[in-house]
């Protein structure tokens, strides 16, 4: 069960979050917990990226900053995923009812010619696109009033040049492979997208995305409060990611449903230098299990795993166009280890486990009482309807 220490700290955090924005004019500290400062203080600002380093991985890298976010299916028929090992940051979040998930993969350091399987988007996936201010590759999406991605694009002035929507056309970069059956066979050529289809400004110059780089350090990355050699999550019966720390390599090997993950195109193992657990308020619009709403703005609790250690903290994102700040319990922005990052977005009422090096296992929750997510009346035929709408 969650330790009393973590629960107490989280209670303090959520109490502070209920204060007004004015109250956040400066950091407010209660015991060991520092409440996130308001953006108006300029406390965090933009992270400077050292020359020769990647803004998305912190690794040695040369090139123009060209992030692209791609929606990747996590259905059984789409596994193993093509070129996920080349993504810099991977988000896993709810897609449907009782635990089916989808990936949103950010590519900048490398732009493979074969990435997939590309699938549809939901509102919170569009919010991730806003954070990275980049081209978005997806294959259709929900278009129902209240959860329409197309209404979101309109309301947030997302230009069509940023939207590579397979339902609308192939743009010369989307295609289907014969290796798998539809809808699990859509792929995108990111190399061609970046070189030939990159959005331009009105004067014809290449669009420059806003920098929302993480903080990275080879040696001074944030240290944890206890060890963590394994983490395990359970979204649903067939959606169970886990991570096992490789001490020699200094990374977490990623597993799914008990099997180590390998790239379906390169056969590389899927690894992460950093794993973030982001608790978000979650509900289903109108009680319909195919219409998830995940709150990615505001503030919340997070757990971060770096270098075989566990850090509890908080996250803050004032507006949809801002970057998400991940902080430790002292209110300091987390410094990540160079490499790839996975973000497990889970409902505030969900739990997960991590295991210390001693073998002691912890079941962790958000740390305060949260109403369980109401999936409404679950109709499995919705999955078939979703698939048919993406062909």
């Amino acid at each position: 069960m969650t330790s009393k220490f973590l629960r107490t700290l989280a209670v303090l955090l959520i109490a502070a979050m209920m204060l007004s924005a004015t109250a956040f004019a400066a950091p407010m500290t209660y015991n060991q917990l520092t409440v996130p400062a308001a953006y108006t203080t300029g406390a965090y600002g933009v992270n400077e990226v050292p020359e020769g380093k990647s803004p998305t991985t912190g690794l040695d890298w040369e090139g123009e900053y060209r992030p692209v976010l791609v929606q990747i299916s996590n259905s059984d028929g789409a596994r193993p995923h093509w070129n996920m090992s080349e993504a810099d940051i991977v988000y896993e979040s709810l897609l449907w009812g009782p635990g089916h998930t989808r990936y949103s993969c950010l590519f900048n350091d490398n732009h493979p010619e074969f990435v997939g399987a590309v699938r549809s988007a939901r509102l919170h996936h569009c919010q991730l696109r806003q954070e990275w201010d980049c081209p978005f590759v997806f294959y259709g999406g929900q278009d129902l009033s209240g959860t329409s991605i197309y209404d979101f694009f309109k309301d947030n002035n997302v230009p069509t040049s940023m939207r590579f929507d397979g339902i609308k056309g192939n743009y010369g970069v989307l295609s289907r492979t014969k290796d798998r059956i539809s809808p699990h066979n859509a792929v995108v050529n990111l190399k061609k997208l970046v070189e030939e289809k990159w959005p331009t400004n009105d004067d014809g110059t290449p669009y420059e995305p806003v920098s929302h780089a993480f903080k990275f350090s080879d040696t001074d990355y944030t240290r944890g409060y206890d060890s963590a050699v394994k983490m395990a999550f359970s979204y649903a019966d067939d959606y169970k990611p886990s991570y096992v720390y490789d001490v020699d390599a200094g990374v977490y090997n990623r597993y799914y449903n008990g099997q180590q993950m390998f790239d379906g195109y390169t056969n590389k193992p899927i690894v992460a230098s950093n794993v973030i657990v982001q608790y978000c308020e979650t509900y289903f619009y109108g009680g319909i299990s195919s219409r998830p709403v995940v709150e990615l703005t505001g503030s919340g609790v997070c757990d971060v795993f770096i270098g075989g250690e566990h850090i509890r903290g908080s996250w803050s994102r004032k507006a949809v166009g801002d970057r998400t700040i991940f902080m430790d319990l002292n209110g300091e922005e987390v410094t990540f280890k160079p490499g790839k990052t996975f973000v497990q977005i889970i409902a505030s009422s969900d739990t997960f486990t991590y295991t210390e090096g001693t073998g002691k296992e912890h079941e962790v929750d958000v740390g305060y009482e949260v109403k369980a997510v109401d999936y409404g009346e679950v109709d499995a035929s919705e999955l078939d309807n979703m698939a048919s709408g993406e062909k």
Side-chain angles (χ1 to χ4, degrees), residues 9-196:
L9 290 174
V11 167
L12 291 173
L13 171 66
I14 203 65
M17 286 175 183
M18 295 174 67
L19 298 174
S20 68
T22 302
F24 283 162
M28 300 176 63
T29 303
Y30 296 88
N31 299 329
Q32 299 181 50
L33 181 68
T34 300
V35 176
Y39 275 72
T40 54
T41 68
Y44 297 101
V46 176
N47 289 320
E48 295 294 327
V49 180
E51 186 175 353
K53 297 293 184 180
S54 163
T56 48
T57 64
L59 299 169
D60 292 340
W61 175 79
E62 296 289 345
E64 295 179 298
Y65 181 47
R66 294 290 185 265
V68 183
L69 189 70
V70 184
Q71 287 298 106
I72 302 292
S73 174
N74 193 26
S75 299
D76 183 60
R79 302 173 190 158
H81 310 90
W82 294 313
N83 267 317
M84 181 182 282
S85 63
E86 300 302 310
D88 301 346
I89 303 170
V90 178
Y91 300 86
E92 182 175 10
S93 61
L94 278 175
L95 173 77
W96 178 83
H100 292 222
T101 65
R102 185 149 290 171
Y103 293 112
S104 303
C105 302
L106 189 77
F107 294 83
N108 175 69
D109 290 11
N110 296 295
H111 297 111
E113 298 180 15
F114 195 90
V115 173
V118 180
R119 290 295 295 273
S120 64
R122 300 295 181 269
L123 282 179
H124 55 288
H125 304 138
C126 299
Q127 290 187 24
L128 292 173
R129 190 229 75 91
Q130 293 298 100
E131 176 162 4
W132 292 102
D133 186 33
C134 65
F136 188 31
V137 181
F138 58 102
Y139 218 93
Q142 208 156 81
D143 195 15
L144 299 171
S145 179
T147 53
S148 169
I149 67 168
Y150 300 103
D151 287 346
F152 179 92
F153 293 144
K154 181 179 179 181
D155 293 342
N156 289 276
N157 299 312
V158 180
T160 55
S161 61
M162 287 284 185
R163 293 146 44 184
F164 292 80
D165 180 356
I167 289 292
K168 307 292 186 180
N170 63 34
Y171 308 91
V173 298
L174 284 158
S175 61
R176 290 195 179 272
T177 175
K178 296 180 180 179
D179 295 340
R180 292 179 184 166
I181 62 172
S182 180
H184 309 299
N185 62 347
V187 295
V188 61
N189 185 333
L190 292 183
K191 182 175 185 292
K192 188 173 182 180
L193 186 158
V194 169
E195 292 180 354
E196 301 179 18

Side-chain angles (χ1 to χ4, degrees), residues 254-317:
R254 196 169 198 262
Y255 288 71
Y256 222 85
N257 299 329
Q259 301 294 316
Q260 186 173 0
M261 290 182 67
F262 290 90
D263 194 296
Y265 192 81
T266 66
N267 203 38
K268 293 180 182 179
I270 306 295
V271 302
S273 294
N274 313 288
V275 179
I276 303 169
V277 184
Q278 184 177 358
Y279 295 88
C280 297
E281 295 302 315
T282 302
Y283 67 94
F284 287 81
Y285 190 90
I288 301 171
S289 56
S290 61
R291 304 178 70 179
V293 178
V294 180
E295 301 291 354
L296 292 178
T297 56
S299 301
V301 177
C302 68
D303 288 276
V304 181
F305 298 87
I306 308 173
E309 298 182 356
H310 166 235
I311 304 152
R312 169 145 279 209
S314 61
W315 65 267
S316 180
R317 183 183 177 197

Side-chain angles (χ1 to χ4, degrees), residues 305-343:
F305 298 87
I306 308 173
E309 298 182 356
H310 166 235
I311 304 152
R312 169 145 279 209
S314 61
W315 65 267
S316 180
R317 183 183 177 197
K318 183 179 179 183
V320 73
D322 292 338
R323 71 185 182 98
T324 304
I325 313 295
F326 296 100
M327 293 156 285
D328 64 17
L329 288 176
N330 295 316
E332 297 291 333
E333 182 172 357
V334 171
T335 299
F336 294 103
K337 184 177 179 180
K340 300 181 184 302
T341 299
F342 270 76
V343 184

